[in-house]
Amino acid sequence: MMRRAASLLPALALGACVAGPPPEIATPTPVLPESFAYAPDAATGTALAALLPTGDPAYEDLAALALSDAPTLAQAVARIEAARAGARRAGAERLPNVTADASIVGSRTNPDQFGGGLPPGISIDTERVQYAANISASWDPDLFGRIRAQEEAALARVTAATFDAEAVRNALLAEIATSVIDWRTLAERQAALEEDLAAAEELTRLAGVREDAGISPGFDRVRAESAAEASRSRIAALASERARLTGRLVTLTALPAHRVLDTLRQPAPLPAQPAPPAALPSTLLSDRPDVLAAAASLAAEDAELAATAAQRFPRFTLSAVLGLLSFDLGDLFDEDAIVGSVGGSLLAPLLDFGRIEAEIDGAAAEKRLAFAQYRDAVFTALGDAETAYGLVAAADRELAAAEREFETAERAARLADTRYRAGLSDFLTVLEARRSADASGERAAAARGRSARARVLLWRALGGG
């Protein structure tokens, strides 16, 4: 026994020559600025969820339906289930593996192979049937943590898949929110254009009356008709935008187009313009699901590197077999039919000519890649948040200026119309004032939509939820 144990020492020594810890790869937390450049200076008390158009019934209904049956979300959930199955499989590797088998084997022996000189009274059964049933068990005690590291990697992938699904959910809600906002903006723009059309038609009627009375030339009526046609053309162009938005919402929600259109026909108030909530760049590390998914993927690659490095250590396996063996089916369950064995095996790398080292180098490269992807996710999140804060600030300034412009242009148009009716102004002045007022109304509607859209982008940039 001692001689057999001593014979294993050279193998263990050679195995130790290739054993060692995995390579160290630094993965420091990215350094972020202390504040955002465009964020509000003081806390506003605004909840992050208030940035979404939650007061719009169309958004509420479409979001609820999408969360229950959206194809993109179903794919994310399936990826979570696949990752969980992989984690269960990795965890099961730490437990014994028990199998059962049964066999019936028939054999025939040629007596001539033993020669012809058998002693008297001795005969050979040339045909016989062997019956056997066995229960086998094997277990790797995982002395060097290879299986444990593989399980940790699988669990980290479950975490990554879960955060990926949350990111998909946030993207889905943001897409639905911006699509609904765009739909409402189109409706508001159309209302402004219809007011423009009504005013142009009234100017056409008035110019025609004055032309019939010989007060003004026919050119005034033609210019008014041209302005009216321009408004009709712009109103017709909005239909293509509605078709695009409808198709987008069908893709996002997996609903038929008529269902989407019925939902969008619900009346809704103008989008709210809450103050953007204050946040710190450091919160992106804990609030952004894509950053958290990248961190979990990095943890998975770190565990995979440890598991790969553990291949340089010997593997010890315990095994046992308990079974029944008989040449007569009726004797299979007799006490004499019981057979069994218990043993252990040791497998250690000796000369693999760099195979394991190459695998370790590959795993180390995968970890470096995962760390680079994590840093990319962090700074993408930082850039998204800076952009979103800047868009909210710029859109709010644009909206305030557009609303002031609209109020001024409306007053100018009313004054020009009054002066024209009193004979104190020419028709061109009235037409230009009306065009300016109507164009400013459409710009104010578009600016209001961009302001609401920017808030949805900020909601997503700060992590949603």
Side-chain angles (χ1 to χ4, degrees):
M1 183 70 180
M2 293 297 294
R3 286 195 298 272
R4 284 199 297 270
S7 65
L8 294 175
L9 293 178
L12 291 176
L14 286 174
C17 292
V18 297
E24 292 291 335
I25 299 174
T27 56
T29 302
V31 178
L32 298 178
E34 295 182 356
S35 62
F36 293 110
Y38 298 103
D41 296 330
T44 60
T46 303
L48 193 59
L51 300 177
L52 293 174
T54 52
D56 193 316
Y59 167 74
E60 292 287 351
D61 293 347
L62 291 173
L65 291 168
L67 290 178
S68 65
D69 196 32
T72 54
L73 204 55
Q75 294 174 41
V77 171
R79 284 191 285 269
I80 293 176
E81 293 172 353
R84 286 175 177 168
R88 290 195 301 271
R89 177 70 175 82
E93 287 293 325
R94 301 182 65 183
L95 302 175
N97 185 30
V98 181
T99 61
D101 67 271
S103 64
I104 301 176
V105 180
S107 62
R108 184 179 185 280
T109 303
N110 186 354
D112 292 340
Q113 67 181 341
F114 298 103
L118 292 175
I122 300 298
S123 63
I124 295 176
D125 188 0
T126 60
E127 295 183 358
R128 62 181 179 177
V129 178
Q130 174 180 295
Y131 302 91
N134 299 294
I135 296 178
S136 304
S138 62
W139 178 52
D140 184 344
D142 194 28
L143 298 179
F144 298 101
R146 176 182 57 85
I147 299 176
R148 182 175 64 254
Q150 290 175 339
E151 182 183 16
E152 291 173 355
L155 291 173
R157 290 193 181 93
V158 174
T159 303
T162 302
F163 285 123
D164 281 335
E166 186 176 344
V168 170
R169 173 187 175 276
N170 288 351
L172 178 65
L173 292 178
E175 288 281 353
I176 293 174
T178 54
S179 296
V180 171
I181 289 170
D182 289 345
W183 186 274
R184 301 303 187 195
T185 301
L186 287 178
E188 194 175 351
R189 287 175 58 194
Q190 179 163 341
L193 289 171
E194 287 174 348
E195 290 180 5
D196 183 8
L197 176 60
E201 289 175 342
E202 174 60 21
L203 288 175
T204 301
R205 185 195 66 79
L206 183 58
V209 171
R210 293 171 65 87
E211 179 185 356
D212 293 341
I215 302 175
S216 65
F219 185 56
D220 289 348
R221 176 182 54 79
V222 173
R223 283 188 296 188
E225 289 175 348
S226 176
E229 289 301 328
S231 296
R232 292 189 185 96
S233 175
R234 291 163 68 187
I235 290 173
L238 298 180
S240 61
E241 286 296 309
R242 286 195 178 88
R244 182 187 64 80
L245 290 174
T246 301
R248 182 60 180 155
L249 287 170
V250 167
T251 301
L252 293 171
T253 62
L255 295 173
H258 67 83
R259 180 84 176 274
V260 171
L261 291 172
D262 288 343
T263 305
L264 290 170
R265 290 190 185 102
Q266 300 177 84
L270 290 176
Q273 310 294 332
L280 297 176
S282 58
T283 60
L284 298 175
L285 300 178
S286 59
D287 293 346
R288 281 275 296 229
D290 54 340
V291 173
L292 294 170
S297 296
L298 175 58
E301 294 301 335
D302 180 67
E304 285 288 359
L305 176 58
T308 304
Q311 294 184 43
R312 298 184 292 190
F313 294 92
R315 297 185 190 180
F316 183 61
T317 304
L318 300 175
S319 61
V321 178
L322 179 65
L324 301 171
L325 177 64
S326 173
F327 293 99
D328 189 321
L329 184 61
D331 298 334
L332 184 62
F333 295 98
D334 289 351
E335 182 178 351
D336 293 339
I338 298 175
V339 295
S341 65
V342 177
S345 64
L346 185 67
L347 176 65
L350 296 179
L351 296 174
D352 68 348
F353 300 98
R355 293 180 179 86
I356 293 178
E357 286 301 322
E359 292 183 14
I360 292 174
D361 291 343
E366 290 293 336
K367 182 178 177 180
R368 293 188 188 94
L369 173 62
F371 178 59
Q373 291 172 336
Y374 171 68
R375 293 184 70 249
D376 179 67
V378 170
F379 289 107
T380 297
L382 180 64
D384 289 346
E386 292 283 16
T387 299
Y389 270 124
L391 287 176
V392 169
D396 286 352
R397 290 193 298 269
E398 179 190 2
L399 177 58
E403 289 178 339
R404 290 193 301 269
E405 178 194 4
F406 176 65
E407 293 173 0
T408 304
E410 275 293 316
R411 287 197 301 270
R414 288 194 298 268
L415 180 59
D417 184 68
T418 301
R419 290 173 57 83
Y420 177 69
R421 292 176 185 273
L424 301 176
S425 178
D426 59 15
F427 183 77
L428 182 59
T429 301
V430 176
L431 187 60
E432 290 300 325
R434 175 43 54 191
R435 283 179 174 175
S436 177
D438 295 333
S440 65
E442 187 182 4
R443 283 195 294 270
R448 190 172 295 107
R450 283 191 288 271
S451 178
R453 255 180 156 271
R455 282 163 169 77
V456 174
L457 293 178
L458 180 60
W459 172 83
R460 184 179 176 187
L462 294 182

